[in-house]
Amino acid sequence: MSDAQTITINGYHLEFEAGETILEVARRNSIDIPTLCHLKGTTPTGACRICVVEVEGARSLLTACATPASAGMVVQTESPKVVEARKLILQLMLSSGNHNCAVRGSDDSDWTRFQLQVHGDDGSDELCPVWGDCRLQDLAYRYQVSGESFAGTETRYPMETVNPFIVRDFSRCIQCGRCVQACNEVQVNNAINFGYRGPDSKIIAAGDRPLKDSDCVFCGECVQVCPVGALVEKDVRYDIRQWNTEKVRTTCSYCGVGCQLNLHVQDNKIVKVTGVEEAEPNHGSLCVKGRFGFNFVGSDERLQAPLIKENGKFRAASWDEALDLVADKLKGIRDTHGGDALGVLTSARVSNEENYIANKFTRAVLKTNNIDHCARL
Ligand code: SF4
Ligand code: SF4
Ligand code: SF4
Ligand code: FES
């Protein structure tokens, strides 16, 4: 192992490739360095500083996510100085905004006043909607800190609830910028960015308009990457808790890309969908249909049986009756007018095998080459 390619992290001598950050080398070697703002595959911003590490000879702590590994570097990821810095960062985050989960300790009267205020702002008597599924809360437990060390700051911006799929709760935003990175660098939708300055800072769409009046396409990428409760699916806010849901992996049926999904199922009902981050082809990204278009699965309005129209009205029929009717009609048209009087349109929402069968049926049975597919458009 040549020294030119070696870094030492927590006493382990580790090889690295040019361009790798300290964080990447650490993670590749199963050394845990906590992150909040870091979003894999995007430009590091160094916004949160929770990933700071101590590097021998450096004048200050360095962010592991933004600092390239260099030969001979000696790094400590959990030294007393590092832990102290992380505690301070977490305390500051927890004491700004409505972080009313179990980690926000204070004297009893203040706690009550604080909770009442949060409940008022939130319109709910419960703790945060992402309680138990929050990176900030996890880290607060890990480093044993609460939000009581600093006076809480007032919530500056009201919650944005007018959007069809997403609630934006600025009172729980820690300004990590992951949503901005996800929107601009992963999805390349460029719908949101940092706005205003200093304590007025806020993630905004152009003109500080609600997402529904912006370039947002409601892909929900920002919701998936938000480490806290600032961006939450609107339909199920407060209705689901992570420990009550089960994840079921599947393939999206909306188009032929084949995005990998996790269906979050509670009481045998799909309540939320997320992309599978470690799987091709989508690596966690989804479009609006894949992420939010799942209510039809459990809808009462779904057809339960084939319908046949008689005298202008539909009636339920058995599959045998419906298929016999369709077969008779198709055969009648083919035999009377020839196969080219028929045409078949297939769909990207069925499998390749089903499309292949449709192709065979059209050419071999209906005797026409009139077949097309929506994905060709
Ligand atoms: S966003 Fe996280 S840290 Fe803040 S209240 Fe909710 S669970 Fe707690
Ligand atoms: S939903 Fe998609 S397009 Fe809209 S702000 Fe979030 S990442 Fe950007
Ligand atoms: S909305 Fe979420 S992802 Fe975006 S900056 Fe705030 S905390 Fe970070
Ligand atoms: S994770 Fe490195 S600065 Fe935020």
Side-chain angles (χ1 to χ4, degrees):
M1 201 182 283
S2 114
D3 201 41
Q5 294 175 300
T6 304
I7 181 174
T8 305
I9 304 181
N10 297 349
Y12 295 103
H13 303 296
L14 306 168
E15 286 192 351
F16 67 91
E17 287 174 22
E20 273 192 302
T21 61
I22 298 172
L23 180 71
E24 285 166 335
V25 183
R27 288 201 167 159
R28 202 162 36 70
N29 290 282
S30 304
I31 296 172
D32 181 40
I33 298 176
T35 58
L36 277 168
C37 70
H38 172 71
L39 185 63
K40 199 175 165 190
T42 64
T43 316
T45 60
C48 75
R49 296 194 58 81
I50 202 73
C51 68
V52 284
V53 291
E54 195 167 352
V55 176
E56 224 172 77
R59 279 188 305 180
S60 57
L61 298 177
L62 301 178
T63 51
C65 70
T67 307
S70 69
M73 210 177 221
V74 178
V75 179
Q76 289 295 332
T77 68
E78 294 285 335
S79 68
K81 216 168 148 188
V82 166
V83 170
E84 192 191 339
R86 287 190 190 144
K87 284 186 168 192
L88 180 63
I89 292 163
L90 291 170
Q91 282 165 339
L92 286 166
M93 284 177 177
L94 289 168
S95 49
S96 71
N98 284 350
H99 297 287
N100 67 327
C101 64
V103 299
R104 174 75 160 76
S106 194
D107 69 71
D108 282 350
S109 60
D110 186 42
W111 173 256
T112 305
R113 195 171 64 242
F114 179 70
Q115 288 291 11
L116 287 173
Q117 174 228 313
V118 177
H119 291 165
D121 288 353
D122 225 2
S124 169
D125 287 344
E126 291 188 45
L127 286 171
C128 180
V130 301
W131 192 90
D133 187 18
C134 171
R135 184 78 181 127
L136 179 58
Q137 189 185 35
D138 290 348
L139 292 175
Y141 279 114
R142 172 165 164 179
Y143 289 101
Q144 290 290 296
V145 294
S146 69
E148 68 184 339
S149 309
F150 300 96
T153 52
E154 287 298 308
T155 300
R156 285 168 191 274
Y157 300 107
M159 212 181 308
E160 187 177 293
T161 56
V162 292
N163 304 306
F165 304 111
I166 300 172
V167 170
R168 299 170 82 196
D169 180 354
F170 301 101
S171 76
R172 290 190 169 105
C173 174
I174 56 170
Q175 306 271 326
C176 69
R178 273 168 74 93
C179 54
V180 174
Q181 300 285 91
C183 186
N184 297 350
E185 290 195 26
V186 180
Q187 293 286 38
V188 202
N189 287 328
N190 299 321
I192 51 173
N193 216 322
F194 281 92
Y196 309 111
R197 288 274 182 276
D200 291 333
S201 183
K202 178 190 182 192
I203 305 299
I204 59 165
D208 198 5
R209 287 183 302 231
L211 291 182
K212 74 178 180 60
D213 301 324
S214 75
D215 287 340
C216 173
V217 297
F218 289 105
C219 63
E221 186 86 6
C222 53
V223 180
Q224 181 157 332
V225 302
C226 181
V228 293
L231 297 172
V232 177
E233 291 84 357
K234 185 174 182 177
D235 275 1
V236 290
R237 195 167 183 267
Y238 282 116
D239 289 345
I240 59 171
R241 294 293 182 188
Q242 191 195 29
W243 56 87
N244 287 331
T245 62
E246 183 192 347
K247 271 194 213 166
V248 180
R249 168 119 175 230
T250 189
T251 303
C252 182
S253 60
Y254 271 111
C255 79
V257 172
C259 289
Q260 293 302 294
L261 311 178
N262 277 320
L263 305 178
H264 299 239
V265 178
Q266 183 170 298
D267 299 331
N268 212 24
K269 191 177 162 207
I270 302 169
V271 289
K272 166 175 162 171
V273 171
T274 50
V276 182
E277 287 176 10
E278 60 281 5
E280 290 181 335
N282 50 316
H283 298 284
S285 297
L286 294 173
C287 72
V288 61
K289 292 183 290 180
R291 191 180 301 278
F292 295 113
F294 58 82
N295 285 341
F296 75 92
V297 177
S299 169
D300 294 340
E301 292 175 19
R302 280 188 78 166
L303 293 181
Q304 308 280 319
L307 300 178
I308 291 177
K309 200 171 194 178
E310 281 173 350
N311 304 321
K313 285 199 172 158
F314 284 111
R315 69 165 174 84
S318 70
W319 278 106
D320 280 347
E321 186 188 6
L323 288 172
D324 283 348
L325 179 68
V326 172
D328 283 349
K329 296 267 184 194
L330 290 177
K331 188 167 179 292
I333 294 169
R334 183 197 65 187
D335 294 347
T336 311
H337 303 287
D340 283 346
L342 293 163
V344 173
L345 294 174
T346 63
S347 168
R349 293 183 62 179
V350 298
S351 66
N352 283 344
E353 291 79 1
E354 287 160 326
N355 274 314
Y356 179 77
I357 291 168
N359 159 55
K360 277 289 184 198
F361 174 74
T362 306
R363 297 184 209 277
V365 179
L366 298 181
K367 307 285 185 201
T368 178
N369 292 323
N370 292 341
I371 178 163
D372 212 339
H373 186 285
C374 63
R376 201 174 61 82
L377 295 175

